[in-house]
């Protein structure tokens, strides 16, 4: 049984009716209170009354990250500042961050969405949840914290970092649930291995991971190394943080909290809406937020939507795991390359660790992709010939699956800086323009 079966299992037709009502209310709300939207809607000749069906959402203007930057800090805020109970922030496309203000209702909705997420992952009252997402402006820390509180769990707000202490607390306090980015979960696993602590002997049983792309192969790796079930959370600051979508026992796609978010997928080049089932950029409209509602926010995240019966009983639409962003897609000699694709191919190679870095450079007129990946200790110590063989094996594997030739640099174990939050996997050294 889900946390909120009324909304999570609502018949689709009824859910769509509810969404339409909330969409109209949101359009009226921002039209009245946010000059940015008022002008855009006026220019397009759209009012709340023009929205007769959910498909009419395509009449609404898009919002992009730069709109938040240009209206920094509170230009898009729809309520007086005295109604704002909290402000989070995330990095923008340039210097200034983008802000996310919340009213008391927004905070309550957020906790509800996160409670659904954690409940679906199997977290319950009585669990001891160690929250290794960063606390502070980042939405991860407090987002998970509030959701776990609503379920009645014991929360240990470790925040990210101080990995040795994380492992010690996990052992001493009997942590049963871990919240962190997937890359940090692996950093923790590595630290525990160095401290000769066997996770499989600890009470830890489930982790809820998100905030950055990770592959199914990476999930399996985490499940094995930590001896847990690895579940997922998805969200973004612009839409209020984690809690937008979450996976269920089927571990096959993420359910979107549709009573709070209207999801569309558009072609990132033409911005035309795509039919359900086609891959493109995820666009989200908030349906109940008060302080900073978003109309058709372009997430740049690439996915596809699926409306199908799920074994968990939820009727909420599903989105596929995010495979990359429309803006981090690399084009190497004409081939589209997502870092997550490379990651899953690296995980096929038994001699390497899941710690890697991609560097993109210009070589003459061509793009060159350098894959730096750490070797496992035994492979590294087997000598230069073995290392060369492993490098060649990776080059061949990537070429055969993706059709792109990369340069591989096998590194000494533990050479790359470990992530404590979102891992930075790509360094693009190509000159801009
Ligand atoms: P931020 O607002 O700084 O938390 O960043 C939000 C972005 O993080 C999203 O637009 C996604 O690109 C990424 N993200 C969050 N959760 C996930 C997830 N579960 N899988 C893949 N990417 C994610
Ligand atoms: Zn499900």
């Amino acid at each position: 049984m889900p946390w909120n079966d009324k909304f999570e299992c609502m018949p689709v037709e009824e859910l769509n009716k509810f969404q339409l009502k909330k969409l109209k209310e949101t359009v009226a709300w921002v039209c009245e209170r946010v000059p940015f939207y008022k002008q855009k809607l006026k220019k397009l000749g759209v009012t709340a009354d023009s929205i007769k069906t959910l498909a009419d959402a395509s009449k609404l203007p898009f919002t992009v990250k730069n709109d938040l930057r240009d209206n920094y800090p509170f230009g898009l805020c729809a309520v007086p500042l005295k109604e704002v109970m909290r402000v989070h922030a995330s990095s923008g496309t340039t210097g200034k961050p983008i802000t996310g203000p919340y009213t008391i209702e927004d905070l309550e909705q957020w906790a509800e969405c996160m409670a659904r997420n954690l409940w679906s992952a199997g977290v319950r009252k009585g669990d001891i949840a160690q929250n290794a997402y960063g606390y502070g402006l980042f939405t991860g820390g407090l987002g998970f914290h509030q959701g776990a509180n609503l379920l009645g769990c014991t929360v240990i707000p470790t925040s990210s970092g101080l990995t040795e202490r994380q492992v010690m607390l996990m052992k001493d306090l009997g942590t049963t649930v871990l919240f962190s980015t997937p890359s940090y979960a692996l950093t923790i696993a590595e630290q525990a291995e160095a401290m000769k602590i066997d996770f499989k002997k600890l009470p830890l049983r489930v982790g809820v991971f998100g905030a950055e792309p990770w592959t199914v192969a990476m999930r399996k790796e985490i499940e094995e190394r930590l001896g847990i079930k690895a579940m997922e959370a998805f969200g973004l600051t612009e839409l209020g943080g984690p809690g937008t979508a979450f996976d269920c026992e089927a571990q096959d796609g993420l359910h979107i909290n549709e009573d709070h978010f209207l999801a569309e997928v558009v072609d990132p080049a033409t911005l035309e809406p795509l039919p359900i089932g086609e891959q493109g950029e995820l666009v989200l409209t908030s349906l109940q937020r008060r302080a900073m509602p978003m109309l058709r926010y372009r997430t740049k995240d690439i996915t596809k939507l699926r409306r199908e019966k799920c074994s968990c009983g939820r009727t909420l639409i599903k989105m596929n795991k995010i495979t990359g962003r429309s803006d981090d897609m690399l084009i190497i000699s004409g081939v589209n390359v997502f870092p997550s694709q490379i990651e899953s191919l690296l995980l096929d190679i038994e001699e390497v660790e899941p710690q890697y870095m991609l560097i993109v450079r210009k070589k003459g007129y061509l793009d060159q992709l350098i894959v730096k990946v750490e070797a496992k200790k035994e492979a590294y110590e087997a000598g230069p010939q073995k290392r060369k063989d492993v490098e060649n094996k990776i080059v061949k594997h990537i070429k055969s699956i993706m059709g792109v030739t990369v340069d591989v640099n096998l590194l000494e174990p533990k050479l790359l800086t470990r992530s404590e939050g979102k891992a930075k996997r790509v360094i693009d050294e190509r000159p801009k323009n």
Side-chain angles (χ1 to χ4, degrees):
M1 197 57 125
W3 170 253
N4 183 338
D5 59 319
K6 174 168 178 227
F7 281 105
E8 293 179 72
C9 304
M10 189 178 259
V12 174
E13 213 170 288
E14 201 181 321
L15 182 63
N16 287 345
K17 257 195 211 151
F18 180 85
Q19 287 183 298
L20 182 60
K21 179 166 164 270
K22 292 293 168 193
L23 178 63
K24 287 166 81 84
E25 282 173 19
T26 298
V27 173
W29 183 266
V30 294
C31 194
E32 223 169 84
R33 295 153 201 263
V34 185
F36 168 84
Y37 280 126
K38 187 180 184 162
Q39 281 155 19
K40 284 209 164 201
L41 290 164
K42 195 168 164 208
K43 212 163 148 203
L44 292 167
V46 180
T47 63
D49 286 338
S50 340
I51 310 292
K52 310 261 187 252
T53 67
L54 282 180
D56 286 340
S58 65
K59 296 180 182 167
L60 298 170
F62 287 106
T63 311
V64 295
K65 212 183 251 298
N66 272 348
D67 294 328
L68 279 89
R69 189 198 64 185
D70 295 345
N71 288 283
Y72 174 84
F74 296 121
L76 296 183
C77 195
V79 298
L81 264 180
K82 67 174 190 304
E83 303 297 327
V84 171
M85 296 288 116
R86 172 120 42 92
V87 181
H88 281 279
S90 171
S91 49
T93 40
T94 54
K96 296 273 184 203
I98 53 126
T99 52
Y102 301 73
T103 64
I104 188 87
E105 295 91 344
D106 294 335
L107 290 174
E108 281 165 10
Q109 285 173 32
W110 185 18
E112 155 73 19
C113 287
M114 275 314 296
R116 292 181 191 178
N117 190 153
L118 301 180
W119 182 271
S120 173
V123 181
R124 296 290 181 270
K125 184 176 168 68
D127 267 316
I128 299 177
Q130 186 158 330
N131 188 5
Y133 280 104
Y135 277 70
L137 287 175
F138 176 50
T139 54
L142 284 167
F144 275 78
H145 186 110
Q146 294 157 169
N149 272 164
L150 193 57
L151 295 187
C153 304
T154 307
V155 184
I156 308 167
T158 50
S159 196
S160 58
L162 300 177
T163 312
E164 200 170 334
R165 191 185 67 175
Q166 299 271 3
V167 175
M168 179 193 81
L169 288 174
M170 233 173 220
K171 182 166 167 273
D172 295 349
L173 305 185
T175 300
T176 56
V177 178
L178 172 67
F179 306 145
S180 74
T181 57
S183 55
Y184 192 47
L186 281 177
T187 308
I188 293 177
E190 221 174 45
Q191 179 64 44
E193 283 155 21
M195 290 160 73
K196 306 249 174 316
I197 290 176
D198 182 1
F199 267 116
K200 295 183 184 115
K201 297 205 175 110
L202 299 185
L204 192 71
R205 43 164 245 289
V206 58
V208 188
F209 306 109
E212 63 185 6
W214 54 316
T215 55
V216 171
M218 178 79 97
R219 171 158 77 203
K220 294 212 172 103
E221 174 96 21
I222 292 175
E223 290 191 330
E224 249 158 56
R225 279 170 86 160
L226 285 104
I228 59 172
K229 193 103 206 122
M231 304 297 286
E232 179 155 4
F234 169 84
L236 50 156
T237 311
E238 294 84 340
L239 273 306
T244 307
F246 56 94
D247 67 353
C248 62
E249 64 202 31
Q251 286 194 307
D252 173 32
L254 288 83
H255 289 286
I256 296 175
N257 273 316
E258 275 189 290
D259 50 330
H260 290 279
F261 304 99
L262 178 68
E264 301 169 75
V265 164
V266 302
D267 179 323
T270 65
L271 301 185
E272 283 304 315
L274 294 173
I276 284 190
E278 277 191 37
Q279 174 153 300
E281 179 180 331
L282 179 69
V283 169
L284 294 167
T285 299
S286 67
L287 295 174
Q288 303 199 44
R289 302 196 75 221
R290 285 286 165 259
M292 196 179 73
M294 283 282 118
L295 297 186
R296 302 190 86 204
Y297 184 73
R298 288 187 56 194
T299 65
K300 305 275 172 113
D301 292 318
I302 301 295
T303 187
K304 53 170 103 156
L305 296 174
R306 288 148 50 192
R307 175 76 73 191
E308 65 192 26
K309 209 169 152 54
C310 186
S311 58
C312 73
R314 289 178 183 80
T315 48
L316 300 173
I317 202 164
K318 281 178 161 182
M319 65 177 213
N320 275 7
K321 224 167 151 34
I322 303 288
T323 50
R325 291 175 55 87
S326 60
D327 53 1
D328 82 355
M329 189 177 77
L330 306 168
I331 304 182
I332 307 297
S333 314
V335 183
N336 293 351
V337 176
F338 286 105
S340 60
Q341 269 175 299
I342 303 261
E343 180 192 282
S344 71
L345 295 178
L346 288 175
L347 284 160
D348 290 339
I349 310 284
E350 64 185 35
E351 292 93 343
V352 303
E353 290 286 344
Q355 300 289 352
Y356 68 95
M357 192 88 207
L358 306 180
I359 295 163
V360 197
R361 283 193 192 134
K362 277 273 177 226
K363 199 175 180 183
Y365 289 110
L366 299 177
D367 289 327
Q368 181 193 21
L369 178 60
I370 302 157
V371 178
K372 296 194 173 206
V373 58
E374 284 185 10
K376 286 213 173 98
K377 196 162 172 281
E378 314 79 71
Y380 193 82
E381 286 172 356
Q385 188 53 46
K386 173 70 181 173
R387 298 202 284 267
K388 192 94 225 108
D389 291 345
V390 176
E391 286 174 350
N392 288 336
K393 182 163 148 186
I394 299 172
V395 172
K396 260 193 169 157
H397 189 47
I398 293 178
K399 174 82 182 168
S400 72
I401 307 276
M402 296 174 65
V404 54
T405 306
V406 300
D407 291 276
V408 175
N409 238 322
L410 199 65
L411 306 176
E412 198 181 322
K414 310 241 182 320
L415 199 71
L416 292 172
T417 311
R418 293 303 186 251
S419 149
E420 294 186 347
K422 292 182 193 238
K424 183 161 169 42
R425 307 277 199 200
V426 182
I427 299 178
D428 195 339
E429 296 180 350
R430 287 174 295 187
K432 304 283 169 265
N433 301 320

